[in-house]
């Protein structure tokens, strides 16, 4: 001031936080399926998030961010972060974000497998996808009424299909078998097929169908090993200028 005295204001807390984002960025569901919207960033600890849906005919969202598909179409879920203003005591919007929601009918299914050639004695996971990359198991596995997934192979002695929890002696109903493990047993080529059926045709979850199917071919081959010489060893010791004939199982 004019007398040379320093005047200080009351300290104010300032928080710098990463951008508030809702995840996943895009949601694809069939009718009756649900998915949980989560968030990252924003002020910490995270304040109350208010969720809303702009097209409630297509989908609904509850107070925790659980989205449920209701009818074919698209819309946007908005999440608003609110906080109390320290000076006025009123709620103010700190940040907000939106997620696109699309509710579809399944027109086809396909089997996703990481590889189509596997060694005997090995296993790999496979699961059901929709016709597009956005139609993942999250799009339909939680649907109510649900879908039934029936797996089969053309040669049972070549490939074995097991549910994901079979090692724990847990047998799941067919509606939870959207993903399974396949085990290579003996050398050969076999088809792996899945048939997906609706439990309630009136739910309108498939496009002009009550069941969808897909089939892929899987080759099971033996692990490469030496047949001659017939000894189990990782190294062969040879003298100079000598030779040995090696023979494998292939």
């Amino acid at each position: 001031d004019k007398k040379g005295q320093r005047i200080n204001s009351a300290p104010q807390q300032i928080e710098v936080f990463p951008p508030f984002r809702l995840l996943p960025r895009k949601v694809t569901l069939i009718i009756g399926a649900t998915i949980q919207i989560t968030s990252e960033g924003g002020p910490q600890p995270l304040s109350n998030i208010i969720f809303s849906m702009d097209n409630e005919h297509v989908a609904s969202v509850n107070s925790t961010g659980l989205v449920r598909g209701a009818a074919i179409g698209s819309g946007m879920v908005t999440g608003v972060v609110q906080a109390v203003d320290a000076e006025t005591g009123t709620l103010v919007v700190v940040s907000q974000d939106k997620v696109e929601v699309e509710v579809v009918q399944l027109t086809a299914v396909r089997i996703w497998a990481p590889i189509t050639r596997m060694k005997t004695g090995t296993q790999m996971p496979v699961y059901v996808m929709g016709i597009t990359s956005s139609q993942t198991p999250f799009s339909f596995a939680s649907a109510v009424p649900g879908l039934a997934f029936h797996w089969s192979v053309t040669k049972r002695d070549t490939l074995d299909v097991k549910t994901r929890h079979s090692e724990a002696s847990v047998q799941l109903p067919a509606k939870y078998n959207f993903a399974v493990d396949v085990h290579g047993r003996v050398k050969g080529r076999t088809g792996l097929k899945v048939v997906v059926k609706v439990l309630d045709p009136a739910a309108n979850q498939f496009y002009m169908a009550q069941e969808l199917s897909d089939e892929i071919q899987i080759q099971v081959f033996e692990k490469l090993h030496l047949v001659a010489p017939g000894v189990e060893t990782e190294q062969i010791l040879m003298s100079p200028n000598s030779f040995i004939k090696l023979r494998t199982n292939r």
Side-chain angles (χ1 to χ4, degrees):
D1 61 4
K2 294 181 179 180
K3 297 181 181 180
Q5 295 180 342
R6 179 180 296 178
I7 301 176
N8 297 324
S9 64
Q12 295 289 334
Q13 293 291 331
I14 298 177
E15 180 184 1
V16 179
F17 54 84
F20 171 70
R21 285 168 53 89
L22 296 178
L23 299 172
R25 301 304 299 164
K26 181 178 180 180
V27 171
T28 302
L29 299 171
I30 66 171
I31 297 172
T34 59
I35 193 170
Q36 179 66 52
I37 300 295
T38 60
S39 65
E40 65 178 13
Q44 300 298 323
L46 193 61
S47 304
N48 188 32
I49 303 177
I50 306 298
F51 291 99
S52 62
M53 181 74 190
D54 67 348
N55 190 347
E56 295 184 351
H57 172 72
V58 170
S60 61
V61 61
N62 65 10
S63 59
T64 63
L66 186 67
V67 180
R68 179 181 296 275
I72 299 171
S74 60
M76 300 292 291
V77 170
T78 301
V80 177
V81 179
Q82 293 182 330
V84 178
D85 188 283
E87 294 183 358
T88 63
T90 59
L91 285 174
V92 294
V93 175
V94 177
S95 185
Q96 65 178 10
D97 194 23
K98 294 184 178 182
V99 168
E100 181 182 355
V101 177
E102 183 181 18
V103 181
V104 301
Q105 291 176 309
L106 287 182
T107 59
V109 294
R110 57 190 174 96
I111 298 174
W112 183 93
I115 55 176
T116 55
R117 298 183 72 251
M118 58 188 301
K119 296 178 183 178
T120 56
T122 61
Q123 69 179 48
M124 69 174 177
V126 295
Y127 56 84
V128 178
M129 291 276 292
I131 195 64
T132 65
S133 59
S134 63
Q135 296 173 8
T136 68
F138 294 105
S139 302
F140 47 78
S142 61
V144 178
L147 308 177
F149 303 86
H150 302 279
W151 297 84
S152 62
V153 292
T154 55
K155 295 181 180 179
R156 293 184 178 181
D157 57 338
T158 301
L159 199 68
D160 193 15
V161 178
K162 296 183 179 181
T163 60
R164 301 301 299 272
H165 303 284
S166 60
E167 294 182 356
S169 300
V170 176
Q171 295 296 327
L172 297 177
K175 65 179 181 178
Y176 298 121
N177 290 334
F178 56 87
V180 295
D181 289 329
V182 293
H183 297 247
R185 301 182 65 182
V186 297
K187 177 183 177 181
R189 186 178 183 87
T190 181
L192 174 65
K193 184 177 182 179
V194 65
V195 177
V196 185
K197 299 180 179 181
V198 293
L199 298 182
D200 182 5
N204 202 28
Q205 295 165 324
F206 288 178
Y207 177 71
M208 299 181 65
Q210 294 187 16
E211 69 176 50
L212 301 171
S213 63
D214 187 35
E215 183 174 352
I216 61 173
Q217 295 293 315
I218 295 180
Q219 180 77 38
V220 180
F221 60 91
E222 292 181 341
K223 181 180 179 180
L224 181 65
H225 64 271
L226 286 176
V227 176
V231 292
E232 293 289 338
T233 181
E234 295 182 356
Q235 296 180 349
I236 298 177
L237 183 63
M238 299 178 61
S239 61
N241 300 320
S242 64
F243 70 92
I244 185 173
K245 186 176 181 180
L246 302 178
R247 186 161 57 90
T248 70
N249 60 324
R250 297 184 188 174

